Amino acid sequence: DKMVNASSFGWNAEDSTEALQAAFDSGARKVVIDRQAGDWITRPLFITNSNIEVVLADGVKLKAKRGEYHKRTDCLIRITGKASNIVLRGEGNAVLAMNKADYLDPKNNYAFSEWRHAVSILSAQNVTVKDLTILSSGGDGIYVNGPKGVLLENLVLRDHNRQGMSPISVTDMTVRRCSFNDTYGAPPQCGIDMEPNKEYNKFVNVVYEDCEFNGNNAHGIDLYFGHFTARTQPVSITFRHCKALGNGSSGLSFMTGNPVYIEKRGQVKGSVRFED
């Protein structure tokens, strides 16, 4: 049940990856990334333990190390494995940041990628991410594929390359008081893009409340169900008291299926509600 400060594993102004990863892997129930003389600079990090709370203290910036993240799927923080009961949150003003401009600059020799996400949530259970500002990833601010039980609350997602968030498949996700703004870089460039990869992916009991999707290069909200068919579990998505303003293409784009797949297998059923 113990709490540890990440700095007890070391802090280095240029690269604190090993200290941070050691803290995550220590078995502590609570890991506080405590304030130091400068930012916490890191290569990719992985949260694979269950029953862990990672807290960025007020004033902490966890920043992707420049010159790293050359693999096309390198993410700042990946939550993965069979892990459950994970919290990643900030206190006061806490920031996760990557270096989007570096990844897009031809001088830096980065392979083209839309998958250098800030936070990637894969196949875990009961994951909460809240009270953070998440900036300038080389992919999505948050990528969601396969988890059950996700709470995203009080997040500012800004200046991401592909999407503020890409849900691919998720069951029981609530997104509350989050902003998905100023996405620009690699298409589709939306605030959120709910886009399944396969017909067995699913969007079940997904709720957005009091969210904003503003100033994105294409759509604020993109619901792109090209791979869904009548074989897919019926969708259930609600947007409640949300706003989409100043987006380049539209506030909302909704594509309910690919005509070729619909003809062969029928159209996905379910409901998508827009309230207030």
Side-chain angles (χ1 to χ4, degrees):
D1 290 346
K2 61 184 183 349
M3 186 272 282
V4 296
N5 285 326
S7 63
S8 65
F9 295 86
W11 176 80
N12 180 301
E14 278 149 37
D15 189 335
S16 293
T17 312
E18 284 169 21
L20 287 161
Q21 193 62 58
F24 291 175
D25 294 342
S26 67
R29 296 294 290 267
K30 183 174 183 179
V31 175
V32 177
I33 303 176
D34 45 328
R35 197 160 174 177
Q36 298 299 310
D39 295 337
W40 285 86
I41 307 293
T42 184
R43 303 188 305 278
L45 295 166
F46 301 86
I47 299 176
T48 57
N49 283 359
S50 293
N51 305 312
I52 184 173
E53 180 180 24
V54 175
V55 181
L56 278 71
D58 185 18
V60 166
K61 183 185 250 190
L62 180 67
K63 191 146 199 251
K65 186 177 180 181
R66 299 189 73 170
E68 299 284 344
Y69 297 82
H70 275 277
K71 282 193 199 152
R72 297 172 76 199
T73 55
D74 277 345
C75 299
L76 182 57
I77 297 178
R78 184 171 288 160
I79 298 170
T80 186
K82 299 263 192 287
S84 59
N85 305 322
I86 294 157
V87 176
L88 172 64
R89 68 177 180 88
E91 290 181 335
N93 181 26
V95 178
L96 300 178
M98 294 183 76
N99 303 296
K100 179 174 91 168
D102 288 5
Y103 315 136
L104 302 183
D105 186 338
K107 290 199 300 286
N108 294 326
N109 295 315
Y110 279 90
F112 170 80
S113 169
E114 54 196 77
W115 307 287
R116 292 184 182 101
H117 310 311
V119 178
S120 180
I121 305 172
L122 307 173
S123 66
Q125 288 208 11
N126 298 336
V127 177
T128 297
V129 182
K130 66 179 185 175
D131 304 332
L132 290 164
T133 296
I134 304 176
L135 304 173
S136 307
S137 74
D140 304 330
I142 301 178
Y143 177 83
V144 179
N145 190 355
K148 183 178 193 318
V150 175
L151 173 63
L152 306 175
E153 193 168 46
N154 194 31
L155 300 173
V156 173
L157 294 115
R158 195 168 69 243
D159 185 40
H160 295 287
N161 182 37
R162 181 176 75 166
Q163 253 88 243
M165 177 167 68
S166 292
I168 308 298
S169 183
V170 64
T171 302
D172 300 333
M173 179 169 75
T174 298
V175 184
R176 196 179 286 135
R177 292 191 307 279
C178 293
S179 61
F180 302 86
N181 296 352
D182 306 319
T183 308
Y184 176 82
Q189 305 172 103
C190 301
I192 61 164
D193 176 22
M194 298 188 71
E195 181 172 348
N197 292 335
K198 311 281 184 191
E199 72 178 349
Y200 59 76
N201 293 150
K202 54 193 170 184
F203 296 131
V204 175
N205 189 27
V206 177
V207 179
Y208 297 84
E209 290 181 329
D210 298 299
C211 291
E212 296 194 351
F213 311 86
N214 301 338
N216 300 287
N217 206 41
H219 310 293
I221 298 163
D222 193 8
L223 308 176
Y224 193 92
F225 296 171
H227 285 282
F228 278 170
T229 72
R231 299 179 186 180
T232 303
Q233 191 168 340
V235 301
S236 44
I237 303 169
T238 301
F239 290 85
R240 189 176 291 128
H241 200 239
C242 293
K243 294 178 184 174
L245 302 169
N247 298 288
S249 298
S250 72
L252 166 69
S253 172
F254 193 179
M255 188 260 217
T256 57
N258 178 322
V260 175
Y261 292 151
I262 290 172
E263 193 175 333
K264 285 183 187 160
R265 299 178 183 174
Q267 186 163 34
V268 64
K269 302 290 191 274
S271 72
V272 179
R273 297 174 58 91
F274 298 90
E275 301 176 0
D276 190 19

